[in-house]
Amino acid sequence: MTSNSLNIKNSIEKDVLEWFLDNGIDEILAHEPVNKTSAVAPPLSAPSPVSPPSSSHEPLMGTAQALIEARALAKQAQTLEDLQKTIADFNGLPVKKTAMNMVFCDGNPKADVMVIGEAPGADEDRQGKPFVGASGQLLDVILKRIGLTRSAQNSHEATYISNILNWRPPGNRTPTPDEMKIALPFIERHIQLVSPKILVLVGNTPMKTLLNTKEGIKKMRGKWHTYQTITPDFGTLDHEIFALPTFHPAFLLRNPYEKKTVWQDMILLQEKRKDLGLLS
Ligand code: URA
């Protein structure tokens, strides 16, 4: 290839990459491109490959082994800094490999109210902080209406925020059941170390994971539940932690008429803070 044709090729590739980025395509989900406009439809029942390709979210060390390690490592963490480093070093969750940054927490760890979401999205992955994109901005507005902010120094007015999964799943897919299982000891240790009075669980993933239920958010929201540690050998909590499931702010962005429902949940939260003497 002449240097002139090489320059033209590079410039076309650069234009194509820029076009991808402009259109929000910022990651590769498969090694080979798939032409979805191809006129040739795949056979209805493709022959099974001799050895099936491993799924991209299969834990490298196997779920059982990853779970054993996650439990042992999480239990050893004595401080939030320990836990953050432990999660950063843990290799049992392959989503770590596709994520840009680990997302551990934001807000005041002394807060009475800890908010737990599902997993970082693209903005959170870029900035290394939970709930900083559009849904995070809506979450902040909702919390501010009841006097809670991430930056408050006073524990009664502060919030602390984290997620079930500390790494962004590729393409923002929902964490798999295996990922939730493996991440559970880390978020449970996180809760133990922060020791909040109240957990606000936004969306199905944190609710199902931490309340150990198969029920959906529509059935579980609007009432109080008691959070109890699920991971074996983690001991008991030194005080009751009240848990309030509510809709995820990303769901509210798609279904704005449900904001009134979340407002009802925020009224419950205010009542609980008042009952517990946490309103300053
Ligand atoms: N959605 C979540 O559940 N968590 C985040 O941090 C961002 C979006």
Side-chain angles (χ1 to χ4, degrees):
M1 202 183 279
T2 65
S3 79
N4 198 21
S5 56
L6 190 62
N7 284 344
I8 292 172
K9 182 173 172 283
N10 287 346
S11 145
I12 293 172
E13 280 177 356
K14 187 165 166 281
D15 286 350
V16 170
L17 280 175
E18 275 171 7
W19 183 87
F20 279 153
L21 286 175
D22 288 346
N23 285 281
I25 305 164
D26 59 0
E27 64 192 332
I28 297 168
L29 298 179
H31 290 292
E32 295 298 329
V34 178
N35 182 1
K36 300 225 167 149
T37 62
S38 162
V40 185
L44 278 179
S45 70
S48 311
V50 177
S51 75
S54 63
S55 102
S56 62
H57 44 75
E58 187 187 334
L60 296 180
M61 61 174 78
T63 304
Q65 177 66 16
L67 187 54
I68 292 169
E69 284 195 19
R71 284 179 180 167
L73 291 167
K75 196 174 171 192
Q76 280 164 25
Q78 295 304 313
T79 62
L80 287 172
E81 291 71 29
D82 272 359
L83 183 65
Q84 184 166 8
K85 182 166 185 326
T86 299
I87 298 173
D89 292 344
F90 178 65
N91 287 321
L93 283 166
V95 276
K96 171 178 166 180
K97 294 199 171 232
T98 48
M100 242 184 264
N101 284 301
M102 175 175 155
V103 176
F104 185 66
C105 71
D106 196 21
N108 182 346
K110 298 204 164 56
D112 299 328
V113 177
M114 178 170 180
V115 178
I116 303 183
E118 176 176 297
D123 293 311
E124 292 74 20
D125 187 34
R126 263 190 292 274
Q127 296 186 38
K129 272 190 188 179
F131 283 103
V132 291
S135 65
Q137 284 160 26
L138 177 56
L139 179 67
D140 284 346
V141 169
I142 295 169
L143 294 173
K144 191 143 190 243
R145 291 290 295 273
I146 54 166
L148 295 173
T149 61
R150 308 182 196 211
S151 56
Q153 296 300 306
N154 178 335
S155 60
H156 294 342
E157 292 163 11
T159 47
Y160 181 80
I161 304 186
S162 190
N163 281 305
I164 294 292
L165 209 55
N166 300 100
W167 311 97
R168 179 196 184 203
N172 289 352
R173 63 164 170 74
T174 304
T176 64
D178 275 355
E179 286 167 346
M180 293 194 241
K181 231 188 276 172
I182 296 166
L184 179 68
F186 295 123
I187 189 65
E188 292 217 288
R189 188 74 186 129
H190 205 153
I191 296 169
Q192 276 189 332
L193 291 169
V194 173
S195 193
K197 310 279 189 308
I198 294 171
L199 286 177
V200 176
L201 307 174
V202 294
N204 264 309
T205 299
M207 182 208 68
K208 288 186 173 175
T209 310
L210 292 169
L211 297 182
N212 202 12
T213 179
K214 292 204 176 357
E215 297 290 359
I217 187 79
K218 287 197 173 153
K219 183 145 185 215
M220 297 287 280
R221 61 142 294 278
K223 45 188 179 258
W224 287 100
H225 304 263
T226 299
Y227 164 70
Q228 260 143 8
T229 315
I230 302 158
T231 305
D233 300 332
F234 263 34
T236 48
L237 297 160
D238 61 6
H239 63 271
E240 183 165 12
I241 299 186
F242 298 93
L244 183 67
T246 192
F247 289 138
H248 194 288
F251 173 78
L252 293 186
L253 290 173
R254 295 191 301 273
N255 303 278
Y257 53 89
E258 292 288 11
K259 284 184 186 168
K260 62 181 185 317
T261 316
V262 169
W263 189 243
Q264 288 163 7
D265 295 341
M266 293 305 107
I267 292 172
L268 282 183
L269 177 53
Q270 287 303 73
E271 286 169 1
K272 181 64 79 185
R273 288 169 71 206
K274 188 164 177 233
D275 288 352
L276 297 176
L278 306 177
L279 279 181
S280 41

